[in-house]
């Protein structure tokens, strides 16, 4: 069995089944007068068929020569970065762009890139402040003020 | 005469001070993102998109286009000096460019890449000027069934040309079409798959998806692999190629321009395909094929010319048919639509100043790049010395600002992160993101035309086969599909035979 294709096929099959369920809740119409549900239903069925074909080929794959994937060198870094980005998403509006971007950068530079404290704090402060000034003040693209809204 | 008048109109627009300034900023920023591995034109255009909202549509597109072809120029610098392509289209430049740098010939390598890019880029623009309006005029006469057939062909070609097995690419394309149906149905106004979210009512935007799947996912990938790079420490002197270098490169540049132009019109990663094809052609035609891979200057000149010609040609299907050939074109299409402009057959008659202004600005931009690239190489090298560990948090910050500023909506950040994670996992599972994103953009147009065709034909599917042009597209799509399926089956058959 080929693991990568099995996981991929299964994920897309689930997406297709969700698509089928949701499309059936919409009016379908007819071939003469297609309504909003028809096109997504057809796509979901097509996707389900193709994902099943991928699953079948993954299961019937008989070559044992699949290498244990040598790519997992630093997956921890990816998950921590993602968590930090989600933290930024949650914090940005209540705490404001300036503070949340500063915290995000310090975390990424110090914890993920292992830079020293002075560089991490310095680069983060300069980058957060300058992007805020350029985007919010100069280019008039409003960024959330949060705690600094005074 | 008509064309001459139009070119004059275009120069009138492109030479306005504000447009010269945005063109300069675009190519400068484009070169920078081309130089920096990990920040490609997709992320750069997404970041600058919100800034262009305050500009006129002409200035906006001039700047965004500048980023695109500027990145193609910049990509060669990293390939030659660091052996890391800044851009997928510059991968093949590493082979001989880096070898030239190691032999102390980084200067001529960078020089010929810049000159070749300039010559082929200009040739590509001339081709664009001649072909796009012709195609646009022909396309005015095609109706919804032809459009449906054309999009089927475009999507089939994308899946055929993408990385990996065709079944996986097809799955990505169909998933893209499906995700593209999220939001308000344009014909009936019914909400589809919004699950109560106000943000989803407008559909899934192309910018958060592109940034997620191609910007954030790329960074995740690099973090996992822990990329490090070493700049080849050499004094760069004599950027001007010698007469002998020119003699070896001129043919390669001309052939690269031709190959690049025709590849560029095709949907998919055309600039990359153009560069690889050009390299293969040069190696075959060379009297010293053994020198390729060891610092042959034609191996730099050909591919660099080809990818620049391709980037000009990629504008043809977008502007004349409303079909983006690659991710960057899809983003430009999004930018045009934000400004209330629908690219397609009527584009030339409705917005002549925009078309000719943008095209002539590309001439000017190419000239700027030539002037900019050669003296500024020292600066780009010092930019390259910034370690990736410091660079990636800043790139992520730019992605966050770009996506948020689009609609001042934090939910778009969440969507970007979801697609960033999905893109990272899909890369691990060997699924290519390109067909997904192009299908996402084409989905709503495809559905609209499909439904209109069925209403016109009273539900009779033969409407796609009885109209000659539509039949041609469908047959072509069928042939492409059959070719890829049969090659896949042959491969499987050989494996089974080997087992027995």
């Amino acid at each position: 069995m080929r693991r990568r294709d099995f996981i991929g096929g299964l994920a897309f099959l689930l997406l297709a089944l969700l698509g089928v369920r949701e499309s059936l809740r919409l009016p379908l119409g007819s071939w003469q007068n297609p309504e909003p549900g028809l096109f997504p239903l057809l796509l979901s069925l097509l996707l389900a068929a193709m994902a099943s074909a991928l699953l079948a080929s993954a299961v019937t794959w008989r070559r044992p020569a699949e290498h244990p994937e040598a790519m997992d060198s630093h997956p921890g870094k990816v998950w921590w970065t993602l968590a930090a980005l989600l933290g930024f998403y949650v914090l940005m509006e209540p705490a404001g762009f300036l503070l949340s971007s500063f915290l995000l950068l310090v975390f990424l530079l110090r914890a993920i890139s292992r830079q020293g404290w002075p560089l991490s704090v310095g680069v983060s402060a300069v980058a957060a402040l300058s992007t805020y000034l350029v985007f919010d003040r100069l280019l008039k693209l409003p960024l959330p003020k949060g705690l600094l809204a005074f | 005469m008509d064309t001459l008048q139009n070119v004059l109109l275009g120069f009138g627009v492109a030479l306005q001070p504000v447009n010269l300034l945005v063109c300069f900023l675009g190519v400068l920023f484009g070169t920078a993102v081309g130089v920096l591995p990990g920040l490609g034109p997709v992320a750069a255009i997404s970041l600058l998109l919100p800034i262009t909202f305050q500009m006129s549509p002409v200035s906006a597109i001039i700047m965004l286009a500048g980023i695109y072809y500027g990145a193609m120029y910049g990509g060669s610098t990293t390939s030659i000096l660091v052996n890391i392509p800044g851009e997928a289209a510059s991968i093949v430049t590493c082979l001989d460019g880096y070898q030239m740098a190691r032999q102390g010939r980084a200067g001529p390598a960078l020089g010929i890449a810049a000159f070749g890019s300039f010559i082929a880029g200009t040739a590509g623009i001339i081709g664009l000027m001649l072909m796009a309006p012709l195609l646009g005029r022909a396309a005015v006469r095609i109706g919804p069934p032809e459009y449906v057939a054309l999009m089927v062909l475009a999507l089939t070609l994308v899946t055929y040309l993408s990385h990996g097995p065709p079944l996986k690419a097809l799955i990505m394309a169909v998933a893209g079409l499906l995700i593209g149906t999220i939001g308000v149905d344009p014909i009936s106004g019914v909400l589809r798959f919004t699950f109560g979210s106000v943000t989803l009512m407008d559909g899934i935007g192309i910018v958060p998806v592109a940034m997620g799947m191609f910007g954030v996912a790329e960074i995740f990938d690099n973090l996992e692999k822990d990329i490090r790079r070493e700049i080849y420490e050499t004094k760069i002197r004599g950027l001007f190629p010698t007469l002998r270098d020119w003699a070896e490169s001129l043919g390669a540049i001309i052939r690269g321009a031709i190959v690049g132009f025709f590849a560029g019109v095709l949907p998919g990663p055309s600039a990359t395909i153009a560069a690889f094809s050009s390299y293969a052609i040069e190696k075959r035609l060379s009297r010293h094929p053994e020198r390729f891979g060891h610092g042959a200057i034609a191996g730099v000149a050909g591919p660099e010319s080809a990818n620049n010609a391709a980037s000009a040609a990629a504008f043809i299907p977008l502007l004349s048919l409303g079909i983006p050939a690659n991710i960057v074109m899809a983003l430009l299409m999004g930018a045009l639509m934000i400004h209330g402009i629908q690219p397609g057959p009527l584009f030339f008659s409705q917005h002549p100043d925009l078309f000719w202004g943008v095209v002539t600005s590309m001439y000017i931009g190419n000239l700027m790049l030539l002037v900019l690239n050669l003296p500024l190489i020292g600066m780009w090298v010092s930019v390259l010395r910034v370690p990736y560990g410091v660079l990636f948090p800043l790139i992520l910050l730019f992605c966050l600002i770009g996506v948020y500023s689009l609609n001042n909506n934090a939910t778009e950040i969440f969507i970007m992160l979801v697609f960033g994670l999905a893109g990272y996992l899909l890369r691990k599972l060997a699924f290519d993101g390109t067909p997904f994103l192009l299908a996402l953009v084409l989905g709503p147009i495809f559905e609209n035309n499909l439904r209109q065709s069925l209403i016109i034909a009273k539900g009779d599917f033969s409407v796609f086969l009885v109209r000659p042009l539509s039949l041609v597209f469908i047959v072509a799509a069928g042939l492409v599909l059959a070719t890829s399926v049969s090659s896949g089956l042959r491969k499987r058959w050989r494996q089974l035979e080997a087992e027995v």
Side-chain angles (χ1 to χ4, degrees), chain A residues 65-137:
Chain A
E66 196 173 352
H67 302 289
E69 282 143 29
M71 49 190 169
D72 288 348
S73 38
H74 298 278
K77 278 189 178 182
V78 175
W79 299 112
W80 278 112
T81 305
L82 182 67
L85 290 168
L86 284 170
F88 174 87
Y89 160 69
V90 174
L91 261 184
M92 187 178 75
E93 287 191 324
F97 171 81
L98 213 50
L99 183 63
S100 44
S101 61
F102 173 73
L103 292 176
L104 172 74
L105 291 177
V106 170
F107 176 80
L108 294 178
L109 287 166
R110 178 76 196 113
I112 307 289
S113 302
R114 309 235 172 254
Q115 306 289 334
W117 274 111
L119 186 133
S120 303
V121 174
V123 168
S124 304
V126 172
L129 194 65
S130 54
T131 45
Y132 180 75
L133 290 177
V134 169
F135 284 89
D136 190 275
R137 296 297 157 92

Side-chain angles (χ1 to χ4, degrees), chain A residues 2-5 7-9 11-12 15-16 18-19 21-23 26-27 30-44 46-47 50-51 53-54 56-58 60-63 69 71-75 77-79 81-82 85-86 88-89 92-93 97 101 104-105 108-109 112-113 115 119 123 127-128 131-132 135 139-144, chain B residues 47-48 50-51 53-54 165 167-168 170-172 174-175 177-179 181 185 187-188 190-193 195 216 219-221 223-226 387-394 396-398 400-402 404-405 408-414 417 421 424-431 436 443 446-447 450-451 454-456 458-461 492 495-496 498-499:
Chain A
R2 189 145 51 172
R3 206 174 118 241
R4 285 197 310 202
D5 289 359
I7 299 170
F12 280 107
L15 177 71
L18 179 71
R21 196 188 75 170
E22 293 298 315
S23 321
L26 296 164
S30 61
W31 293 126
Q32 286 89 340
N33 186 24
E35 299 246 16
L38 189 65
F39 185 62
L41 179 66
L42 293 176
L43 289 174
S44 304
L46 186 60
L47 185 60
M50 292 194 300
L54 185 63
S57 85
T60 54
W61 185 260
R62 266 178 291 158
R63 278 183 145 193
E69 282 143 29
M71 49 190 169
D72 288 348
S73 38
H74 298 278
K77 278 189 178 182
V78 175
W79 299 112
T81 305
L82 182 67
L85 290 168
L86 284 170
F88 174 87
Y89 160 69
M92 187 178 75
E93 287 191 324
F97 171 81
S101 61
L104 172 74
L105 291 177
L108 294 178
L109 287 166
I112 307 289
S113 302
Q115 306 289 334
L119 186 133
V123 168
T131 45
Y132 180 75
F135 284 89
L139 298 169
K140 308 275 178 228
L141 294 169
L143 294 168
Chain B
L47 172 68
L48 290 192
I51 299 172
F53 291 172
Q54 295 152 350
L167 178 61
K168 285 182 158 181
L170 278 172
I171 286 178
M172 289 297 273
V174 176
L177 289 173
L178 183 61
I179 300 292
T181 62
D185 170 35
I187 297 181
S188 66
V190 172
L191 288 179
R192 295 191 291 196
F193 316 128
F195 303 101
V216 177
I219 289 177
F220 286 170
D221 215 31
L223 280 178
E224 184 173 347
K225 289 181 193 140
D226 203 11
Y388 190 71
V390 176
L391 209 57
F392 92 86
L394 301 176
L396 280 176
L397 184 68
F398 287 148
L400 293 166
I401 298 176
Y404 175 80
S405 304
N408 289 335
N409 185 350
T411 315
E412 306 256 17
I413 291 183
F414 185 70
L417 296 181
L421 178 63
Y424 164 70
L425 295 174
L426 286 168
R427 275 169 195 230
K428 292 184 92 148
L429 299 174
F431 283 87
F436 178 86
F446 182 68
E447 181 185 4
L450 179 68
R451 280 162 74 178
L454 286 174
I455 292 169
I456 297 167
K458 298 194 171 64
D460 184 1
F461 275 89
R492 190 75 200 259
Q495 276 160 359
L496 285 176
E499 277 171 33

Side-chain angles (χ1 to χ4, degrees), chain B residues 156-167:
Chain B
T156 319
L157 271 173
V158 172
T159 54
Y160 180 65
L161 296 173
S162 73
H163 315 293
L167 178 61

